[in-house]
Amino acid sequence: MNLKYLTKIAAGIILVFSALTGNAQEVVVTDSTAIQPQEEVAENTVTNNNERRRVEGIAAVVGDYIILDSDIDLMYKQMQSQNMSTADVTECQLAGSLMENKLYAHHAVQDSIVVLDADIRGYIDQQIAEMVRQLGSMEKVVEYYNKGSESELQDELFEINKQRQLSQKMQQKIVEGIEVTPEEVRAYFEEMKKDELPIFGDEVEISQIVIEPEVPESEKQKAIDRLNEFRADVVDNDASFRTKAILYSDDTNTGGSILSLGRKDNFVKEFKDVAFSLQEGEVSEPFETEFGFHIIEIDKIRGQQVDLRHILIIPEVTNATVEKAKAEIDTIRKRINEGELTFAEAAKASSDEDETRGDGGRLRNPQTGDTKFELTKLDPTLYNQVVNLEEGEMSLRLSDQDGTGKPFFKIIQVTKRVAEHEANYATDYLKIKDLALQAKQLEAIEKWQKEKIADTYIKINGKFRSCEYNSNWLKK
């Protein structure tokens, strides 16, 4: 995770909040309530410290985890609340999906896959902060999720998120290292029947030139001075770093939450260098990254991992530098239109976007690594900017902003258009390669699942024993 990601995390968090309502009744059996595989568990009981307690409606037990009937009911409600069709979704399908997740989580623990508690707690802080923002107060959040207290809500969020992360890491471990050779890609394509060939929608290749307004040195110094004031108040007057981060940091998505950072994590280099140079409890001097100016407070050092809080101040651009950037990109566009230079030449000479400048401004699809983008899968904003451009046509000056909210200007050119077509091995190789890789990964997951179902304690109760599952959950 890098800071650019953190500034965009809020939208993704909302999905996790909705997942809470769909999993609020899941019970995770921890060490104190472990179910022994050799032990036959009655339909509505769970062993807890050699005592049996009544549990309402246990649908299934998978390893160290149980699934309640209410979990499945709530999954339906969650889908309906998100306007998803449930007409063709059965209870059996939902039960099978839940059992898969429990199987992954159970074996993640068995394989000693580690999910750090501090990481989960930091993420929960972000979740709860967003819940409070949406509903207005912590009291309303606790009431909405029908919990007795904030700590009860946090405990349940902890279990849900930990199980989810264990499941994800187990799936990643199963498929890591799987690759496909060119021969396998060709074989995959040739084995497809004519009527099974995928249809790829209208595609475009896009290039862009970005001009960012310059931040004046005076504004940078204002940010540094402000951070020095915060630091002095924390160091000299024992003020709360966390409170200042909540109130003043421009990284509003993390606020005063603890971030856990490892030496090998994909974080901005300057940020990592400072973080690992500090002692526990120390507050850094202000330093600069591509996102702005920061100070860091180290909460705890755990070997190759540090827990920290940070405050980000983004220096502001001025009206004068904004107007200068507009004039610059308008001049570039005029020179391209007049044939003085090509779009690619202008991008290499003038664009402020490091990722695309060296390739003449050409964008690459982050999902495929290819230069083609399927129109219907484009980000809505980018779609609206390119949908009406002909091949070779250039847009007018466009206004945009980065993940920190700083404005910039750009011009876009559609360098190529490809009409909807049936998959072609030569022109669509990267997409076909991705499909072949997915098929190979799916085979590995199915093989792993088959083996683990066979040697994992599984108990299915009541009406769910009459389901027809894709996997052998009933061990027939």
Side-chain angles (χ1 to χ4, degrees):
M1 183 185 296
N2 57 31
L3 290 175
K4 186 177 289 187
Y5 172 75
L6 292 175
T7 60
K8 297 178 180 177
I9 200 169
I13 291 174
I14 295 172
L15 297 177
V16 181
F17 301 152
S18 61
L20 171 64
T21 62
N23 293 287
Q25 299 301 316
E26 289 187 11
V27 178
V28 179
V29 183
T30 56
D31 291 341
S32 63
T33 57
I35 299 173
Q36 301 302 321
Q38 299 84 359
E39 191 176 326
E40 192 70 14
V41 180
E43 181 168 335
N44 291 316
T45 60
V46 173
T47 300
N48 184 1
N49 295 334
N50 298 321
E51 296 179 4
R52 288 191 178 273
R53 60 183 175 86
R54 192 78 176 171
V55 178
E56 183 66 28
I58 294 181
V61 178
V62 179
D64 288 346
Y65 297 93
I66 63 176
I67 300 169
L68 301 179
D69 290 338
S70 55
D71 294 337
I72 296 162
D73 295 336
L74 284 168
M75 283 188 74
Y76 268 120
K77 293 177 182 177
Q78 179 190 349
M79 293 173 68
Q80 291 165 349
S81 70
Q82 296 176 353
N83 297 318
M84 297 171 63
S85 173
T86 57
D88 298 323
V89 178
T90 68
E91 286 186 328
C92 293
Q93 290 171 333
L94 295 180
S97 177
L98 282 172
M99 287 190 286
E100 284 185 13
N101 288 333
K102 306 297 185 187
L103 186 71
Y104 291 129
H106 171 75
H107 283 282
V109 174
Q110 304 304 308
D111 289 2
S112 301
I113 290 176
V114 175
V115 173
L116 297 176
D117 288 0
D119 289 349
I120 300 173
R121 299 269 180 217
Y123 189 59
I124 290 170
D125 287 345
Q126 297 172 41
Q127 285 183 291
I128 291 180
E130 179 62 19
M131 292 175 185
V132 170
R133 188 193 67 79
Q134 290 178 341
L135 298 179
S137 69
M138 177 56 70
E139 291 74 17
K140 290 182 179 179
V141 172
V142 171
E143 180 182 358
Y144 181 82
Y145 289 105
N146 196 27
K147 300 301 167 190
S149 64
E150 179 182 351
S151 62
E152 183 182 340
L153 175 64
Q154 288 179 328
D155 289 345
E156 186 155 315
L157 278 170
F158 180 86
E159 295 297 348
I160 291 170
N161 281 292
K162 185 167 187 176
Q163 182 186 326
R164 182 179 293 112
Q165 289 192 32
L166 285 170
S167 178
Q168 290 172 348
K169 287 195 171 188
M170 188 69 250
Q171 292 175 64
Q172 291 167 1
K173 182 178 179 180
I174 296 168
V175 301
E176 68 183 1
I178 294 179
E179 297 179 349
V180 287
T181 65
E183 291 78 11
E184 288 175 316
V185 177
R186 179 173 287 280
Y188 173 82
F189 181 74
E190 291 177 348
E191 286 172 5
M192 287 184 183
K193 297 177 181 178
K194 179 69 176 174
D195 59 356
E196 293 177 348
L197 289 173
I199 302 296
F200 297 126
D202 292 344
E203 295 173 323
V204 290
E205 291 187 356
I206 306 167
S207 296
Q208 68 180 23
I209 297 172
V210 171
I211 299 297
E212 300 172 351
E214 186 179 354
V215 177
E217 289 300 320
S218 59
E219 294 298 321
K220 292 182 180 181
Q221 191 58 50
K222 284 182 185 178
I224 294 171
D225 292 344
R226 198 172 184 206
L227 289 172
N228 276 324
E229 291 176 7
F230 296 154
R231 182 180 186 278
D233 200 16
V234 171
V235 173
D236 299 336
N237 302 322
D238 202 28
S240 168
F241 190 100
R242 179 176 180 273
T243 299
K244 289 187 180 298
I246 292 171
L247 293 175
Y248 304 115
S249 179
D250 287 332
D251 187 2
T252 55
N253 295 310
T254 59
S257 302
I258 285 180
L259 304 176
S260 291
L261 178 62
R263 289 187 180 274
K264 296 183 179 180
D265 288 349
N266 186 28
F267 245 75
V268 178
K269 180 181 184 299
E270 297 89 346
F271 195 95
K272 286 175 64 175
D273 288 345
V274 173
F276 286 101
S277 71
L278 301 173
Q279 300 298 314
E280 201 166 285
E282 191 175 356
V283 180
S284 75
E285 300 283 349
F287 64 95
E288 186 177 10
T289 72
E290 62 187 279
F291 303 102
F293 291 86
H294 314 251
I295 54 174
I296 289 173
E297 181 186 55
I298 301 299
D299 182 75
K300 186 178 293 185
I301 298 175
R302 298 177 285 107
Q304 301 298 305
Q305 197 91 9
V306 294
D307 296 341
L308 59 87
R309 291 184 173 90
H310 85 118
I311 299 173
L312 168 68
I313 299 296
I314 302 171
E316 296 181 358
V317 298
T318 63
N319 289 336
T321 59
V322 167
E323 291 305 315
K324 182 180 176 182
K326 287 181 181 179
E328 182 178 354
I329 202 161
D330 287 346
T331 299
I332 292 170
R333 185 176 186 278
K334 181 181 178 183
R335 292 178 67 196
I336 296 171
N337 272 336
E338 293 176 349
E340 189 176 331
L341 73 173
T342 67
F343 194 97
E345 289 169 344
K348 289 178 180 179
S350 304
S351 181
D352 289 330
E353 188 172 56
D354 294 337
E355 296 89 340
T356 62
R357 183 174 56 239
D359 199 17
R362 185 179 299 176
L363 298 179
R364 288 197 173 271
N365 191 323
Q367 276 73 47
T368 65
D370 193 6
T371 57
K372 296 186 182 70
F373 293 81
E374 194 166 335
L375 267 176
T376 57
K377 295 180 181 178
L378 274 177
D379 171 83
T381 300
L382 185 57
Y383 173 86
N384 290 330
Q385 292 169 347
V386 305
V387 65
N388 294 320
L389 294 179
E390 299 296 333
E391 183 170 308
E393 189 178 358
M394 183 170 49
S395 73
L396 298 172
R397 182 210 325 136
L398 301 168
S399 301
D400 208 334
Q401 61 181 29
D402 63 19
T404 67
K406 192 167 72 173
F408 64 88
F409 304 99
K410 65 182 180 181
I411 49 176
I412 290 175
Q413 183 184 57
V414 172
T415 55
K416 188 175 183 179
R417 275 187 173 271
V418 180
E420 181 179 274
H421 62 284
E422 191 176 80
N424 178 280
Y425 183 78
T427 58
D428 299 310
Y429 176 81
L430 289 177
K431 295 188 188 69
I432 296 166
K433 179 182 178 181
D434 190 50
L435 293 173
L437 177 61
Q438 291 177 25
K440 191 172 182 180
Q441 290 173 335
L442 182 59
E443 287 178 7
I445 287 175
E446 288 175 345
K447 180 182 178 183
W448 179 92
Q449 195 175 102
K450 182 177 180 180
E451 292 172 353
K452 296 305 180 183
I453 287 175
D455 62 18
T456 302
Y457 176 81
I458 297 171
K459 172 71 174 179
I460 300 175
N461 294 315
K463 61 184 177 181
F464 296 103
R465 292 193 60 82
S466 61
C467 291
E468 293 186 7
Y469 299 107
N470 291 329
S471 300
N472 188 27
W473 294 109
L474 296 169
K475 299 189 178 183
K476 292 182 178 179

